[in-house]
Every structure is written in structure tokens, then in C-alpha cells.
Amino acid sequence: QLQLQESGPGLVKPSETLSLTCTVSGTSISSNSYCWGWIRQSPGKGLEWIGTISYSGITYYNPSLKGRVTISVDTSKNQFSLKLSSVSAADTAVYYCARSPIGARYYFEYWGQGTLVTVSS
Amino acid sequence: DIQMTQSPSSLSASVGDRVTITCRASQGISQGITTYLAWFQQKPGKAPKSLIYAASSLQSGVPSKFSGNGSGTDFTLTISNLQPEDFATYYCQQYNSSPPTFGGGTKVEIK
């Protein structure tokens, strides 16, 4: 059974880097059938796509995040990660990881349960 | 970016009712015969759950009481025979082009 589980600090200071990991079970993250993405949800901005990484490591990012995003994959641990630099209060949100089929890399068919990240000093 | 506009933002309905939610894209989201539109259900404190993709295809395990329709820029999600577990917030999302974007949501509440 497919499971995605986000993990990482729940509190990040302004100007620092937010780092989250998504651990995948029930399927191999290196399968050529899927892409892996991050989406966040805040009361003010609703659901917002952050970025996606393909099984081969090609990345796609939301231009609105202005180069602050890095997504990477660790196939040895069956995990993928998100780094968001120079955070501010506007980055406070619930962060979700999700799986997409390779033919529709921006369709999020399965989601993790989400993790709340608060940006505050 | 493609803007996705849902209406209504909320609605009240009774158990057993049939409800329809509308989603409009700011530009076409089809390529050939495929329309890149998905619908999600979200309950409080939970992650969104995929219901429909390609505008009208049911995600595996989703009951047939959920149906999607539409083409071009106008789409609908219909829920038949509303049950207590269906009261939730519903979102549409386009995945035709980057960045993928979501509608603002429609909250379905118990009357």
C-alpha cells in the first residue's frame, strides 16, 4: 500500500531554510512510472504547487517562489526532499508531498498527510 | 498562470441531495482529446484526496456517485445522494500547463 510521510521541523526562523523530507513506502521512488512533488496550503493563498522532480532527477519549480526552491531525491532511502530558502511568515503553511503519474506530472494522485511549518522568530 | 475559479464558494445541502460545483479556467486546458482537469475532496485536518482526473475519469476506489464533466474552460463536479461523509471542501485543479493551479474551493455543508 502506497504511503507518503512528510517529516521535518515544525518551526523555522525568518530568513532561514525550511527543510522537509518525504518518505515513500509501497513503491520505489526510482520507478520510471512516477514523479514526486510538493504542494503547500495556507489560509491566505490556498493550495499552491511548489515543485516536482521526475524519477530521473529533472526538476520543475513554481516561478513564483523565485529560485528559493530545491527538490532532490535520495533513492537509497526511498525519499525526496524540499528546501526552501530565505523563508518569511508568508511561507507558513501545511506542506504536502505527493505522487504524480509520469504522463501527467502535475496531477497529484496520492498525497501525504501533510506537516505544518510555522515561520516565526 | 491559468486562474481557476470555483462557484459557489460554499453551499448547504441535505443528506440524499444531488449537488453540482462549477469550475472555470481562465484559458483552455485541453490538448487533443485530453482535458487536464482534476477534482479533489478535502476534509478538515486531512490531505486532499483525488476524486477525478482528465475531467471525467474516476480515480481508483472512488465511488460512482462522483462524476465530472466539461470541456474547454467550463467544468462541473456532481455528487449524487449526498451522505454525511461527503460533507467536505472540493477543489478543482488544472494540470495542463506549469504552474499547475487550484481553484479556491467549495465547502459543502449540511443544511
Side-chain angles (χ1 to χ4, degrees):
Chain A
Q1 181 181 355
L2 176 69
Q3 288 191 330
L4 296 90
Q5 178 69 60
E6 305 87 351
S7 60
L11 181 63
V12 182
K13 290 183 168 55
S15 80
E16 294 190 345
T17 295
L18 178 160
S19 295
L20 295 174
T21 296
C22 182
T23 300
V24 178
S25 58
T27 191
S28 171
I29 202 166
S30 56
S31 165
N32 63 5
S33 298
Y34 306 115
C35 293
W36 307 92
W38 290 95
I39 304 102
R40 69 183 182 180
Q41 185 174 30
S42 61
K45 295 193 74 176
L47 287 159
E48 180 182 28
W49 171 70
I50 299 169
T52 291
I53 188 165
S54 75
Y55 69 93
S56 58
I58 300 172
T59 51
Y60 308 85
Y61 298 137
N62 193 327
S64 70
L65 294 168
K66 299 188 177 88
R68 298 192 291 130
V69 180
T70 303
I71 297 175
S72 59
V73 167
D74 186 337
T75 56
S76 67
K77 295 181 179 178
N78 222 40
Q79 296 175 335
F80 64 107
S81 298
L82 167 70
K83 292 188 186 299
L84 181 66
S85 63
S86 304
V87 298
S88 69
D91 296 308
T92 293
V94 176
Y95 286 75
Y96 297 100
C97 59
R99 187 185 85 173
S100 302
I102 194 66
R105 61 175 173 257
Y106 301 136
Y107 165 54
F108 310 108
E109 58 178 358
Y110 294 109
W111 299 54
Q113 66 183 26
T115 188
L116 173 63
V117 178
T118 301
V119 178
S120 176
S121 54
Chain B
D1 299 3
I2 297 176
Q3 308 303 315
M4 305 300 290
T5 303
Q6 286 182 238
S7 61
S9 56
S10 66
L11 66 89
S12 294
S14 300
V15 171
D17 283 355
R18 178 184 184 195
V19 300
T20 297
I21 299 166
T22 298
C23 175
R24 173 166 289 176
S26 60
Q27 58 187 271
I29 54 174
S30 300
Q31 292 187 33
I33 62 171
T34 302
T35 298
Y36 296 90
L37 188 282
W39 288 97
F40 297 88
Q41 176 194 65
Q42 186 177 34
K43 297 181 180 179
K46 301 293 187 182
K49 172 189 172 185
S50 174
L51 299 174
I52 286 170
Y53 63 96
S56 60
S57 297
L58 275 182
Q59 178 69 15
S60 175
V62 174
S64 59
K65 63 187 306 181
F66 294 96
S67 62
N69 212 335
S71 61
T73 60
D74 294 320
F75 306 92
T76 58
L77 171 70
T78 299
I79 312 169
S80 302
N81 188 23
L82 265 178
Q83 294 300 303
E85 61 268 25
D86 301 327
F87 291 93
T89 301
Y90 293 85
Y91 296 92
C92 61
Q93 181 227 334
Q94 69 81 17
Y95 54 101
N96 178 65
S97 62
S98 181
T101 47
F102 295 83
T106 296
K107 187 173 184 179
V108 178
E109 299 175 299
I110 300 175
K111 184 181 288 184

